[in-house]
Amino acid sequence: MTDQYTLTDPTTLYSDITTTAQSQDGPGLDADLKAKADLGEDTYRGLGRLIGRKALITGGDSGIGAATAIAFAREGADVAISYLPEEEEDAVRIAGLITAAGQKALTLPGDLKDPAYCRDLVAQAVEGLGGLDILVNNAGKQQSVESLADISDEQFDETFKTNVYAMFWITKAALPHLRPGSTIINTSSIQAYSPSETLVDYASTKATINTFSKALAQQLAPKGIRVNVVAPGPIWTPLQTAGGQPTEALPTFGENTPLGRAGQPAELAPAYVFLASAESSYVTGETLNVNGGMPTP
Ligand code: NAD
Ligand code: MG
């Protein structure tokens, strides 16, 4: 059987998944991606690294968050996922995979731009799971725009609300529930250090996420709560086909990385598992870059 421990050449892995030009409306669906991304459905093998843990993952319906949700469940965690109501189809499929792993799944749709929903999301996760000890702030908005003049005030506001404010609202609401040993993992990006000219607003939010996380890690370390970051490179997800990249850039998406290809969500999940589990007990305020080899500061 092939799994995430099988020795493979990382340059040729996933050469069967071609990122062709395509576009989706709204947040986009994994269900509509052509070709399908690998979320680890057939390959992620758990080893009991998160037995008994209770996790909330924002944007856990698709892409990186969904691969992480599958991995967490197969490692023994109960998992609540948040997503937008129009992503129900993807969310139901992921909830099914969590349940198939023998774990509890909670689906909690809503709009993270609304602080009241963010607070309610945490309350529902805590109530439904019977506590919380892993928080993954992963949801994100990314819209590529060529000129600053064409970034609307609305887009700028929505990108910051989704990527930064929601992380603040959710983390603040979660903290009273997090016991020592709990972990917070935020999703940044290579864009934080190596921004694209067409992602001025988005890249700025990712730099903010890095600094927010490092500051909070200092504050929470004495309380025994760790805060870390995963910074993905180019990963094949609906985010990229729903306006994250110009459509014409998709066929060569990821080819400029040292490994020469786009990454798959399944390749991100082990980073989140490591940072969530007690294996990383002496790691806090750290950023784990999973980006195909692009140099980072
Ligand atoms: P994705 O589209 O599968 O996941 C993003 C999720 O964010 C969506 O599924 C949606 O549920 C959620 N979301 C967006 N706006 C929301 C809102 N207003 N309310 C509630 N939920 C909302 O794409 P992904 O690439 O897996 O993205 C996950 C994270 O990874 C994001 O933070 C993204 O910035 C980051 N990231 C992605 C890449 C990449 O190349 N795909 C690279 C670097 C960082
Ligand atoms: Mg989605």
PDB file of all heavy atoms in Angstrom, residues 27-30 59-63 66 82-84 86-87 90-91 238-239, ligand 2:
ATOM      1  N   PRO A  27     -16.356  30.897  -3.364  1.00  0.00           N
ATOM      2  CA  PRO A  27     -15.160  30.331  -2.726  1.00  0.00           C
ATOM      3  C   PRO A  27     -14.603  29.138  -3.509  1.00  0.00           C
ATOM      4  O   PRO A  27     -13.474  28.728  -3.274  1.00  0.00           O
ATOM      5  CB  PRO A  27     -15.670  29.891  -1.351  1.00  0.00           C
ATOM      6  CG  PRO A  27     -17.146  29.690  -1.510  1.00  0.00           C
ATOM      7  CD  PRO A  27     -17.588  30.613  -2.609  1.00  0.00           C
ATOM      8  N   GLY A  28     -15.373  28.595  -4.452  1.00  0.00           N
ATOM      9  CA  GLY A  28     -14.909  27.430  -5.217  1.00  0.00           C
ATOM     10  C   GLY A  28     -15.098  26.147  -4.445  1.00  0.00           C
ATOM     11  O   GLY A  28     -15.222  26.148  -3.212  1.00  0.00           O
ATOM     12  N   LEU A  29     -15.169  25.048  -5.188  1.00  0.00           N
ATOM     13  CA  LEU A  29     -15.394  23.738  -4.567  1.00  0.00           C
ATOM     14  C   LEU A  29     -14.300  22.765  -4.990  1.00  0.00           C
ATOM     15  O   LEU A  29     -13.909  22.731  -6.153  1.00  0.00           O
ATOM     16  CB  LEU A  29     -16.738  23.157  -5.014  1.00  0.00           C
ATOM     17  CG  LEU A  29     -18.029  23.765  -4.475  1.00  0.00           C
ATOM     18  CD1 LEU A  29     -19.232  23.038  -5.059  1.00  0.00           C
ATOM     19  CD2 LEU A  29     -18.054  23.730  -2.951  1.00  0.00           C
ATOM     20  N   ASP A  30     -13.866  21.923  -4.046  1.00  0.00           N
ATOM     21  CA  ASP A  30     -12.995  20.803  -4.405  1.00  0.00           C
ATOM     22  C   ASP A  30     -13.712  19.895  -5.395  1.00  0.00           C
ATOM     23  O   ASP A  30     -13.084  19.338  -6.302  1.00  0.00           O
ATOM     24  CB  ASP A  30     -12.629  19.988  -3.157  1.00  0.00           C
ATOM     25  CG  ASP A  30     -11.229  20.310  -2.650  1.00  0.00           C
ATOM     26  OD1 ASP A  30     -10.382  20.729  -3.466  1.00  0.00           O
ATOM     27  OD2 ASP A  30     -10.990  20.143  -1.453  1.00  0.00           O
ATOM     28  N   GLY A  59     -12.273  26.589   7.431  1.00  0.00           N
ATOM     29  CA  GLY A  59     -12.027  26.200   6.037  1.00  0.00           C
ATOM     30  C   GLY A  59     -11.662  24.728   5.930  1.00  0.00           C
ATOM     31  O   GLY A  59     -10.882  24.326   5.069  1.00  0.00           O
ATOM     32  N   GLY A  60     -12.261  23.915   6.777  1.00  0.00           N
ATOM     33  CA  GLY A  60     -11.957  22.477   6.788  1.00  0.00           C
ATOM     34  C   GLY A  60     -12.724  21.674   5.746  1.00  0.00           C
ATOM     35  O   GLY A  60     -12.652  20.446   5.712  1.00  0.00           O
ATOM     36  N   ASP A  61     -13.453  22.375   4.886  1.00  0.00           N
ATOM     37  CA  ASP A  61     -14.271  21.709   3.860  1.00  0.00           C
ATOM     38  C   ASP A  61     -13.470  21.311   2.627  1.00  0.00           C
ATOM     39  O   ASP A  61     -13.841  20.384   1.916  1.00  0.00           O
ATOM     40  CB  ASP A  61     -15.370  22.669   3.398  1.00  0.00           C
ATOM     41  CG  ASP A  61     -14.752  23.961   2.873  1.00  0.00           C
ATOM     42  OD1 ASP A  61     -14.037  24.637   3.648  1.00  0.00           O
ATOM     43  OD2 ASP A  61     -14.943  24.276   1.685  1.00  0.00           O
ATOM     44  N   SER A  62     -12.384  22.028   2.360  1.00  0.00           N
ATOM     45  CA  SER A  62     -11.664  21.805   1.097  1.00  0.00           C
ATOM     46  C   SER A  62     -10.186  22.119   1.266  1.00  0.00           C
ATOM     47  O   SER A  62      -9.770  22.678   2.289  1.00  0.00           O
ATOM     48  CB  SER A  62     -12.261  22.691  -0.014  1.00  0.00           C
ATOM     49  OG  SER A  62     -12.114  24.065   0.317  1.00  0.00           O
ATOM     50  N   GLY A  63      -9.419  21.750   0.275  1.00  0.00           N
ATOM     51  CA  GLY A  63      -8.011  22.114   0.223  1.00  0.00           C
ATOM     52  C   GLY A  63      -7.217  21.683   1.444  1.00  0.00           C
ATOM     53  O   GLY A  63      -7.394  20.577   1.974  1.00  0.00           O
ATOM     54  N   ALA A  66      -9.146  20.690   4.621  1.00  0.00           N
ATOM     55  CA  ALA A  66      -9.812  19.386   4.505  1.00  0.00           C
ATOM     56  C   ALA A  66      -8.803  18.249   4.661  1.00  0.00           C
ATOM     57  O   ALA A  66      -9.070  17.262   5.352  1.00  0.00           O
ATOM     58  CB  ALA A  66     -10.529  19.281   3.161  1.00  0.00           C
ATOM     59  N   SER A  82     -15.356  24.573   9.912  1.00  0.00           N
ATOM     60  CA  SER A  82     -16.178  25.712   9.501  1.00  0.00           C
ATOM     61  C   SER A  82     -15.983  25.931   8.003  1.00  0.00           C
ATOM     62  O   SER A  82     -14.951  25.543   7.448  1.00  0.00           O
ATOM     63  CB  SER A  82     -15.778  26.972  10.259  1.00  0.00           C
ATOM     64  OG  SER A  82     -14.757  27.679   9.569  1.00  0.00           O
ATOM     65  N   TYR A  83     -16.969  26.547   7.385  1.00  0.00           N
ATOM     66  CA  TYR A  83     -16.940  26.774   5.934  1.00  0.00           C
ATOM     67  C   TYR A  83     -18.106  27.686   5.600  1.00  0.00           C
ATOM     68  O   TYR A  83     -18.971  27.948   6.453  1.00  0.00           O
ATOM     69  CB  TYR A  83     -17.055  25.423   5.191  1.00  0.00           C
ATOM     70  CG  TYR A  83     -18.263  24.614   5.605  1.00  0.00           C
ATOM     71  CD1 TYR A  83     -19.461  24.672   4.902  1.00  0.00           C
ATOM     72  CD2 TYR A  83     -18.226  23.819   6.754  1.00  0.00           C
ATOM     73  CE1 TYR A  83     -20.572  23.965   5.318  1.00  0.00           C
ATOM     74  CE2 TYR A  83     -19.336  23.106   7.174  1.00  0.00           C
ATOM     75  CZ  TYR A  83     -20.510  23.180   6.455  1.00  0.00           C
ATOM     76  OH  TYR A  83     -21.613  22.503   6.885  1.00  0.00           O
ATOM     77  N   LEU A  84     -18.149  28.166   4.358  1.00  0.00           N
ATOM     78  CA  LEU A  84     -19.265  29.003   3.915  1.00  0.00           C
ATOM     79  C   LEU A  84     -20.440  28.107   3.520  1.00  0.00           C
ATOM     80  O   LEU A  84     -20.220  26.997   3.009  1.00  0.00           O
ATOM     81  CB  LEU A  84     -18.849  29.867   2.724  1.00  0.00           C
ATOM     82  CG  LEU A  84     -17.969  31.076   3.076  1.00  0.00           C
ATOM     83  CD1 LEU A  84     -17.264  31.615   1.824  1.00  0.00           C
ATOM     84  CD2 LEU A  84     -18.792  32.174   3.746  1.00  0.00           C
ATOM     85  N   GLU A  86     -22.308  27.920   1.031  1.00  0.00           N
ATOM     86  CA  GLU A  86     -22.291  27.418  -0.357  1.00  0.00           C
ATOM     87  C   GLU A  86     -21.287  26.285  -0.567  1.00  0.00           C
ATOM     88  O   GLU A  86     -21.214  25.733  -1.661  1.00  0.00           O
ATOM     89  CB  GLU A  86     -22.082  28.551  -1.363  1.00  0.00           C
ATOM     90  CG  GLU A  86     -20.860  29.411  -1.146  1.00  0.00           C
ATOM     91  CD  GLU A  86     -21.145  30.703  -0.369  1.00  0.00           C
ATOM     92  OE1 GLU A  86     -21.852  30.656   0.662  1.00  0.00           O
ATOM     93  OE2 GLU A  86     -20.627  31.754  -0.789  1.00  0.00           O
ATOM     94  N   GLU A  87     -20.527  25.939   0.471  1.00  0.00           N
ATOM     95  CA  GLU A  87     -19.549  24.849   0.368  1.00  0.00           C
ATOM     96  C   GLU A  87     -20.040  23.562   1.031  1.00  0.00           C
ATOM     97  O   GLU A  87     -19.241  22.653   1.293  1.00  0.00           O
ATOM     98  CB  GLU A  87     -18.222  25.282   1.002  1.00  0.00           C
ATOM     99  CG  GLU A  87     -17.611  26.486   0.317  1.00  0.00           C
ATOM    100  CD  GLU A  87     -16.375  26.982   1.020  1.00  0.00           C
ATOM    101  OE1 GLU A  87     -16.485  27.402   2.194  1.00  0.00           O
ATOM    102  OE2 GLU A  87     -15.297  26.960   0.408  1.00  0.00           O
ATOM    103  N   ASP A  90     -18.817  20.039  -0.301  1.00  0.00           N
ATOM    104  CA  ASP A  90     -17.458  19.639   0.106  1.00  0.00           C
ATOM    105  C   ASP A  90     -17.430  19.258   1.591  1.00  0.00           C
ATOM    106  O   ASP A  90     -16.815  18.263   1.983  1.00  0.00           O
ATOM    107  CB  ASP A  90     -16.465  20.789  -0.124  1.00  0.00           C
ATOM    108  CG  ASP A  90     -15.969  20.888  -1.569  1.00  0.00           C
ATOM    109  OD1 ASP A  90     -16.269  19.978  -2.372  1.00  0.00           O
ATOM    110  OD2 ASP A  90     -15.280  21.876  -1.879  1.00  0.00           O
ATOM    111  N   ALA A  91     -18.101  20.073   2.407  1.00  0.00           N
ATOM    112  CA  ALA A  91     -18.063  19.855   3.867  1.00  0.00           C
ATOM    113  C   ALA A  91     -18.663  18.511   4.258  1.00  0.00           C
ATOM    114  O   ALA A  91     -18.119  17.804   5.112  1.00  0.00           O
ATOM    115  CB  ALA A  91     -18.798  20.989   4.576  1.00  0.00           C
ATOM    116  N   PRO A 238      -9.169  24.899  -4.505  1.00  0.00           N
ATOM    117  CA  PRO A 238     -10.156  25.779  -5.149  1.00  0.00           C
ATOM    118  C   PRO A 238      -9.840  27.258  -4.988  1.00  0.00           C
ATOM    119  O   PRO A 238     -10.240  28.075  -5.827  1.00  0.00           O
ATOM    120  CB  PRO A 238     -11.478  25.428  -4.448  1.00  0.00           C
ATOM    121  CG  PRO A 238     -11.242  24.215  -3.634  1.00  0.00           C
ATOM    122  CD  PRO A 238      -9.777  23.967  -3.536  1.00  0.00           C
ATOM    123  N   LEU A 239      -9.123  27.612  -3.922  1.00  0.00           N
ATOM    124  CA  LEU A 239      -8.735  29.017  -3.718  1.00  0.00           C
ATOM    125  C   LEU A 239      -8.076  29.593  -4.970  1.00  0.00           C
ATOM    126  O   LEU A 239      -8.298  30.742  -5.341  1.00  0.00           O
ATOM    127  CB  LEU A 239      -7.737  29.084  -2.545  1.00  0.00           C
ATOM    128  CG  LEU A 239      -7.319  30.448  -2.029  1.00  0.00           C
ATOM    129  CD1 LEU A 239      -8.355  30.962  -1.044  1.00  0.00           C
ATOM    130  CD2 LEU A 239      -5.957  30.383  -1.337  1.00  0.00           C
TER     131      LEU A 239
HETATM  132 MG    MG B   2     -13.810  25.368   0.337  1.00  0.00          MG
END
